[in-house]
Amino acid sequence: MGMAWDDVVLMEPGVKSGDPTVITVNCPDKAGLGCDLCRIVLEFGLYVNRGDFATDGKWCYIVLWVIPRPSWLKVDWASLKNRLMSACPSCMIPYYLSQQSTCSPRPTVYLLKVFCLDRKGLLHDVTKVLCELELTIQRVKVMTTPDDKVLDLFFLTDDMDLLHTKQRRDETCEHLSDVLGEYCISCELQLAGPECEVQQGFSSLPQEVAEELFSCELSKEAVPKSSSSDTTKLKKATITVDNLLSPVHTLLQIQCVDQKGLIYDILRTSKDCDIQIAFGRILSSAKGFRTIDLFIQRTDGKKILDDENQASLCSRLKEEMLHPLRVTVASRGPDTELLVANPVELSGKGRPRVFYDVTFALKKLGICIFSAEIARHSTAERQWEVYRFLLDESPEYPLASKRARTEILEKVKRTLMGW
């Protein structure tokens, strides 16, 4: 006997303002489902206050208590429910059929061309509209002309899968024109051509910049700090492995500083390491730290008993929890470049909202972006998504100043991590 499709994802709003909304997912299980759901929650700007996971390998039951971050963020809850439902295997087909293919077809890419007069915060305002319309930026190329005009090229995919319709394309351009007002010269949206493949190439970073950006060591400069004691706290993460409590599962007890996307990072790492989570409990933040208990197995249904495998998994989890994003400022000739990188999932997906958060931080600082691009970079261990921003000189932040560069780095990091 099946269940109603609308009951796969249920949402219960909080009783009063500020209370979390409770999201309940009850559906057939699939590999990495928890990661996929938490990724969507992060895309909508929501923070997981606490959560519970349970699965027998065939059916799963997930409960997430979520709140908007920041609190004034406007959330389209109906659209969120539809997105979460789209990530769940169908209840109307046998379980073994839903497991035969976990690969989604490659989404269609569209090219958005925005030509307008330049001003501070312009790139973030465009990005904000695209996020609200549930359009995902896959690649971007931003160019400023000598006469203070900007040509923005966005290669987009549509989370609602409606950009093939003229109405959706027209509505997108109308929204952008309304937000940009008199600064907008033209706005065009069309199916991407061969230039899309060119834009999806890999970046070429100078060796010294790549070494600094992708170094695993967390130096004091790598984390925002307000005092030396805060720095010590931010760099701390502990993982305890217990194989005695359960006869069939390995228990991971994780404690780490709370930050934006922490639950997604843990589940993403577990998914990429082929770790199956049978039961999980995410506790609310206490004094800036999160505690997570995970009962896990290997894909063959066995515990993780080998000391070397345990150490490797713990090391990878700590790296992803303490340093999920890499940020640095480098010189490109006479210019200053801000670089941000995040790991790419094995499925090929990058981290949500990174471009949004960086442009928001730079807008708040009053720093103009002369050019920007998104590309991929490969290291020996993994593939990265790299965001490169060429910054304009600002009276408030003279980019040759070490103090100004440090302030820019700290502001960007705090915004990305939700501190």
Side-chain angles (χ1 to χ4, degrees):
M1 184 173 66
M3 63 183 294
W5 182 238
D6 285 346
D7 293 338
V8 169
V9 177
L10 299 176
M11 293 189 175
E12 183 182 345
V15 176
K16 59 181 184 293
S17 177
D19 284 353
T21 295
V22 182
I23 300 174
T24 304
V25 180
N26 187 16
C27 69
D29 198 10
K30 70 173 183 178
L33 178 60
C35 169
D36 297 343
L37 297 177
C38 286
R39 176 191 171 82
I40 294 170
V41 166
L42 183 58
E43 284 180 7
F44 277 76
L46 295 169
Y47 166 82
V48 179
N49 187 47
R50 60 191 178 101
D52 286 315
F53 299 80
T55 179
D56 60 1
K58 295 183 178 181
W59 199 273
C60 74
Y61 185 75
I62 299 172
V63 184
L64 300 174
W65 287 260
V66 301
I67 54 177
R69 283 279 181 92
S71 58
W72 45 259
L73 185 70
K74 187 177 179 181
V75 180
D76 187 337
W77 296 101
S79 183
L80 173 61
K81 179 175 180 177
N82 289 335
R83 288 285 308 285
L84 292 172
M85 288 174 62
S86 70
C88 297
S90 173
C91 303
M92 307 306 175
I93 59 177
Y95 167 77
Y96 71 89
L97 287 178
S98 69
Q99 296 293 301
Q100 287 180 354
S101 175
T102 57
C103 298
S104 301
R106 189 173 181 178
T108 304
V109 179
Y110 293 83
L111 173 60
L112 171 67
K113 298 180 182 179
V114 181
F115 187 50
C116 52
L117 302 175
D118 196 12
R119 63 167 172 80
K120 288 183 179 180
L122 176 72
L123 186 55
H124 176 72
D125 292 344
V126 174
T127 304
K128 184 172 183 287
V129 172
L130 298 179
C131 286
E132 290 172 349
L133 294 173
E134 297 182 55
L135 297 170
T136 298
I137 301 171
Q138 301 294 342
R139 296 289 178 272
V140 67
K141 186 73 173 178
V142 175
M143 296 161 286
T144 303
T145 64
D147 57 347
D148 289 330
K149 294 184 177 66
V150 178
L151 176 61
D152 295 343
L153 303 178
F154 294 91
F155 294 86
L156 309 170
T157 54
D158 186 5
D159 296 327
M160 298 176 66
D161 197 22
L162 292 173
L163 270 184
H164 61 279
T165 66
K166 185 177 184 300
Q167 179 181 350
R168 172 76 160 157
R169 295 195 299 271
D170 289 347
E171 287 177 351
T172 299
C173 290
E174 287 171 9
H175 276 288
L176 287 168
S177 296
D178 290 342
V179 168
L180 298 177
E182 61 186 10
Y183 289 88
C184 184
I185 298 173
S186 66
C187 180
E188 301 175 14
L189 182 54
Q190 62 194 38
L191 190 66
E195 69 272 23
C196 177
E197 297 300 324
V198 175
Q199 287 295 320
Q200 290 188 3
F202 286 76
S203 69
S204 177
L205 296 176
Q207 183 177 352
E208 63 276 11
V209 174
E211 288 177 354
E212 179 180 356
L213 190 60
F214 301 116
S215 171
C216 294
E217 183 180 354
L218 294 178
S219 64
K220 288 184 179 180
E221 290 76 22
V223 288
K225 52 188 181 296
S226 56
S227 68
S228 58
S229 61
D230 284 345
T231 302
T232 302
K233 181 182 77 170
L234 291 173
K235 293 169 71 173
K236 182 180 178 183
T238 60
I239 303 176
T240 303
V241 181
D242 186 340
N243 273 307
L244 300 177
L245 189 62
S246 169
V248 292
H249 301 103
T250 295
L251 170 61
L252 295 183
Q253 294 181 302
I254 301 171
Q255 188 179 50
C256 181
V257 64
D258 196 13
Q259 60 199 21
K260 182 187 295 184
L262 176 65
I263 310 306
Y264 164 72
D265 288 324
I266 292 173
L267 298 184
R268 166 179 59 82
T269 305
S270 300
K271 177 183 178 181
D272 286 351
C273 292
D274 289 328
I275 298 298
Q276 297 178 339
I277 300 173
F279 307 98
R281 172 150 292 180
I282 304 161
L283 302 182
S284 299
S285 179
K287 296 183 179 180
F289 279 91
R290 299 298 291 268
T291 299
I292 301 104
D293 293 336
L294 302 176
F295 288 84
I296 65 173
Q297 293 176 326
R298 302 186 314 189
T299 52
D300 60 6
K302 295 181 180 180
K303 291 183 175 186
I304 303 174
L305 298 172
D306 182 77
D307 290 343
E308 187 175 333
N309 290 339
Q310 290 178 14
S312 176
L313 175 60
C314 291
S315 175
R316 176 75 180 272
L317 282 168
K318 285 182 179 180
E319 179 186 341
E320 300 300 335
M321 290 189 295
L322 291 173
H323 211 8
L325 294 127
R326 314 297 171 95
V327 187
T328 191
V329 172
S331 296
R332 190 200 284 184
D335 301 315
T336 299
E337 185 176 41
L338 171 69
L339 297 102
V340 180
N342 60 261
V344 175
E345 293 181 30
L346 290 182
S347 64
K349 295 179 180 178
R351 187 184 184 88
R353 296 179 75 87
V354 174
F355 196 78
Y356 177 97
D357 286 338
V358 175
T359 55
F360 177 73
L362 294 175
K363 179 181 179 179
K364 286 296 184 183
L365 289 170
I367 296 175
C368 285
I369 300 168
F370 183 77
S371 69
E373 62 178 305
I374 306 174
R376 294 285 169 100
H377 181 88
S378 288
T379 60
E381 296 81 16
R382 67 183 76 179
Q383 192 177 109
W384 300 82
E385 196 152 54
V386 180
Y387 303 78
R388 306 179 69 170
F389 301 88
L390 204 60
L391 307 181
D392 253 353
E393 193 70 43
S394 157
E396 297 87 354
Y397 293 94
L399 297 176
S401 161
K402 183 178 179 181
R403 179 193 63 81
R405 289 188 174 202
T406 300
E407 288 184 17
I408 293 170
L409 275 176
E410 291 196 0
K411 177 65 175 178
V412 170
K413 289 173 183 174
R414 287 185 179 277
T415 302
L416 286 166
M417 305 311 293
W419 288 320

